[in-house]
């Protein structure tokens, strides 16, 4: 079996995926036309050509501009179905989708419109592809904690429709401590909690996410590498990191994939997972993230299997749901 086929047959969970980041330019243009929305680009080709980023913010500026094409419930349904189709082809058995309600409510799109479309896609994906999924509401960290509380208030009447909360958008200057009260409230509500930390921000932001937000996973976390004490803590606590290798290269966190610290973190005993972040913008879905990382870093098949196992173990599902996936994974020969 070649490497691509081997990666494809590994049952895996995708735990770091912004659904707005799966908006391919073709669908973006189709939705913009359907909704009469003007985009800042003239064509699909011009849009793709604009995807040369120098840092997280230069990406976010385009990502928020593209999200303007999403208006109706059907748009969110079509968006998520396009993702699930690709995920199924990559052997994803479970996906936890981040969504950014504030990006949409700020443009007058109702919270329910977003949720209805995504939820209907999740149910359809279960039937059509046998992929289970969860929705994780992300707060935009460049906005205030008060605005985060207002978003939580919108979600509250139907809080059971979401499974957890996360924290994304511009990291520098917006430390996890800014959202300590909001996350405490979310934990009281029984929601799972995760946060982006240590993508561009320093190791201290990871420590704040652990100690103040009490997160159950760290999204990215690659700058933990600068602190041996934090590395030892992450390994000791078996704290999952949702690493996104192609994203990190596109956003210039590492100069090339060969420079990525994913293998070093794995070797240090950290519970690393591989994910795609915003695959429409970063040049590849989760399968390509596994394959390209393996090629650039010399990951062996047992290591790829371990990463897939980590993803299943770190998923917010019951042990009864997890067991058949783990059994299937264990049966695969390297
Ligand atoms: N929103 C979408 N993708 C993101 C990323 N990689 N980091 C922070 N916020 C994001
Ligand atoms: Zn992300």
């Amino acid at each position: 079996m070649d490497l691509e086929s081997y990666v494809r047959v590994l049952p895996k969970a995708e735990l770091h995926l912004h659904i707005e980041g799966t908006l391919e330019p073709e669908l973006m243009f189709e939705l913009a036309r359907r909704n009469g929305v003007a985009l800042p680009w003239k064509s699909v080709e011009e849009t793709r050509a604009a995807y040369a980023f120098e840092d997280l913010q230069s990406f976010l500026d385009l990502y928020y501009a593209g999200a303007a094409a999403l208006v109706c419930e059907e748009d969110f349904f079509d968006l998520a179905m396009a993702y699930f189709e690709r995920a199924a082809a990559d052997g994803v058995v479970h996906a936890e989708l981040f969504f950014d309600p504030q990006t949409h409510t700020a443009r007058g799109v109702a919270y329910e419109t977003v949720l209805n479309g995504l939820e209907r896609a999740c149910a359809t994906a279960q039937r059509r592809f046998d992929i289970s999924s969860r929705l994780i509401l992300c707060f935009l960290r460049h906005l205030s904690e008060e605005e985060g509380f207002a978003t939580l208030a919108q979600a509250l009447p139907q809080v059971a429709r979401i499974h957890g909360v996360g924290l994304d958008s511009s990291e520098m200057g917006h430390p996890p401590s800014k959202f300590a009260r909001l996350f405490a409230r979310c934990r009281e509500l029984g929601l799972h909690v995760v946060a982006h930390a240590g993508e561009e921000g320093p190791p201290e932001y990871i420590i704040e996410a652990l100690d103040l937000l009490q997160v159950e996973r760290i999204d990215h976390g690659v700058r933990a590498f600068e602190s041996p004490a934090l590395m030892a803590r992450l390994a000791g606590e078996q704290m999952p990191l949702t690493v996104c290798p192609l994203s990190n290269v596109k956003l210039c966190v590492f100069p090339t994939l060969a420079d990525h610290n994913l293998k070093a973190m794995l070797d240090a005993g950290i519970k690393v997972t591989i994910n795609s972040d915003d695959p429409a913008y970063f040049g590849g879905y989760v399968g390509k993230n596994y394959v390209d990382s393996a090629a650039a870093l010399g990951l062996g098949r047992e290591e790829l299997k371990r990463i897939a196992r980590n993803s299943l173990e770190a998923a917010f599902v019951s042990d009864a749901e997890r067991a058949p996936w783990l059994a299937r994974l264990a049966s695969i020969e390297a």
Side-chain angles (χ1 to χ4, degrees):
M1 211 186 315
D2 64 13
L3 182 61
E4 280 83 1
S5 307
Y6 178 74
V7 163
R8 205 174 314 122
V9 299
L10 295 175
K12 59 184 78 59
E14 177 144 54
L15 306 176
H16 185 159
L17 183 279
H18 302 264
I19 196 63
E20 295 90 346
T22 68
L23 181 55
E24 294 285 347
E26 289 78 6
L27 183 58
M28 188 192 293
F29 272 77
E30 186 187 325
L31 298 182
R33 185 167 25 82
R34 217 153 84 178
N35 295 317
V37 171
L39 292 169
W41 309 283
K42 286 199 199 63
S43 65
V44 164
E45 295 69 35
E46 191 185 310
T47 308
R48 280 225 167 77
Y51 293 176
F53 311 114
E54 56 203 39
D55 56 13
L56 174 58
Q57 192 60 50
S58 63
F59 154 69
L60 290 171
D61 293 343
L62 265 71
Y63 164 84
Y64 294 129
L70 298 160
V71 177
C72 312
E73 182 180 320
E74 208 60 26
D75 304 343
F76 290 93
F77 175 81
D78 291 348
L79 173 72
M81 284 316 298
Y83 164 69
F84 281 125
E85 194 168 340
R86 290 179 183 261
D90 277 349
V92 171
V93 294
H94 174 76
E96 300 189 358
L97 276 52
F98 292 151
F99 70 110
D100 289 341
Q102 289 159 303
T103 300
H104 311 300
T105 54
R107 300 178 287 114
V109 175
Y111 174 77
E112 283 72 22
T113 300
V114 181
L115 198 61
N116 289 346
L118 296 179
E119 206 175 47
R120 192 152 55 82
C122 289
T124 306
Q126 180 72 69
R127 287 195 306 273
R128 196 175 293 173
F129 303 119
D130 199 22
I131 295 183
S132 80
S133 54
R134 303 281 190 267
L135 295 173
I136 297 184
L137 183 163
C138 281
F139 298 107
L140 299 181
R141 69 201 305 159
H142 66 273
L143 300 179
S144 67
E145 185 178 46
E146 199 182 339
E147 287 164 294
F149 269 111
T151 298
L152 180 60
Q154 287 177 320
L156 219 45
Q158 311 165 71
V159 74
R161 297 174 72 184
I162 60 168
H163 207 72
V165 296
L167 187 64
D168 65 1
S169 192
S170 323
E171 186 178 11
M172 295 304 282
H174 304 286
S177 50
K178 182 177 161 185
F179 297 93
R181 292 178 322 141
L182 178 61
F183 271 63
R185 179 74 190 117
C186 291
R187 291 197 314 276
E188 277 171 16
L189 289 165
L191 291 163
H192 286 287
V193 293
V194 298
H196 283 54
E199 178 184 18
E200 285 189 342
E204 290 71 27
Y205 283 22
I206 301 173
I207 295 168
E208 282 192 9
L210 294 171
D211 292 340
L212 302 180
L213 306 189
Q214 296 176 33
V215 294
E216 296 157 82
R217 301 192 300 244
I218 294 283
D219 296 316
H220 294 296
V222 293
R223 284 196 62 193
F225 203 66
E226 295 163 33
S227 164
L230 180 54
M231 289 283 285
R233 177 177 177 185
L234 293 172
E237 294 178 7
Q238 284 297 283
M239 173 60 55
L241 299 192
T242 64
V243 176
C244 307
L246 292 175
S247 162
N248 293 151
V249 173
K250 270 286 195 182
L251 301 188
C252 307
V253 175
F254 298 94
T256 74
L257 210 45
D259 300 300
H260 202 289
N261 61 22
L262 183 154
K263 181 168 163 50
M265 300 227 274
L266 200 63
D267 290 345
I270 293 174
K271 201 176 184 78
V272 171
T273 67
I274 289 184
N275 310 270
S276 69
D277 207 3
D278 301 284
Y281 293 87
F282 299 151
Y285 287 74
V286 67
K288 190 167 196 301
N289 272 272
Y290 272 74
V291 169
D292 289 5
S293 299
L297 299 169
L299 298 173
R301 295 192 177 197
E302 280 303 331
E303 285 168 313
L304 293 172
K305 196 169 168 181
R306 177 169 152 208
I307 291 166
R309 188 182 318 113
N310 287 345
S311 75
L312 298 174
E313 288 175 354
F316 294 145
V317 298
S318 68
D319 287 341
E321 283 174 280
R322 204 184 331 266
W325 301 329
L326 287 172
R328 225 171 87 199
L329 182 68
S331 74
I332 291 166
E333 305 267 337

